Amino acid sequence: MALMITAECINCDVCEPECPNQAISMGEQFYVIDPQRCTECVGHFGEPQCVQVCPVECIPLDPFHLESPGQLQLKYEQLQAAKKALLPTTS
């Protein structure tokens, strides 16, 4: 599952820089998580980093984006492949 940030968010700015997939950004009123980029830190860390640093515990699983660990791993691999494709090649 992807994660989501609830309205209890206090906009403390600690979660955004912790996300290895750049899935977190400022929304209209509080931070939001892009479910297409969130892998719950699968492939990077053993635990979701945003959840670890959130002082108000407002980052639960998103029930609208159910994903298995295998699906999260595949998403991680696809994001990494896309990232590598954007890197300049050296000759």
Side-chain angles (χ1 to χ4, degrees):
M1 288 186 210
L3 299 169
M4 62 184 277
I5 298 176
T6 66
E8 286 78 27
C9 176
I10 59 172
N11 295 324
C12 67
D13 304 321
V14 298
C15 62
E16 183 181 23
E18 295 300 319
C19 182
N21 296 320
Q22 293 80 44
I24 301 174
S25 62
M26 179 53 88
E28 288 185 29
Q29 298 179 337
F30 51 87
Y31 281 92
V32 295
I33 296 177
D34 178 353
Q36 301 303 312
R37 297 192 65 79
C38 179
T39 64
E40 294 180 47
C41 290
V42 166
H44 294 283
F45 301 101
E47 301 279 331
Q49 298 302 286
C50 59
V51 173
Q52 296 298 314
V53 299
C54 181
V56 293
E57 300 178 1
C58 67
I59 309 176
L61 293 172
D62 184 343
F64 298 106
H65 295 94
L66 304 175
E67 296 170 293
S68 69
Q71 289 171 310
L72 292 170
Q73 179 65 36
L74 180 60
K75 188 191 310 183
Y76 161 76
E77 291 168 5
Q78 292 170 340
L79 289 168
Q80 292 303 302
K83 186 177 178 181
K84 286 181 184 176
L86 294 175
L87 292 175
T89 57
T90 56
S91 299

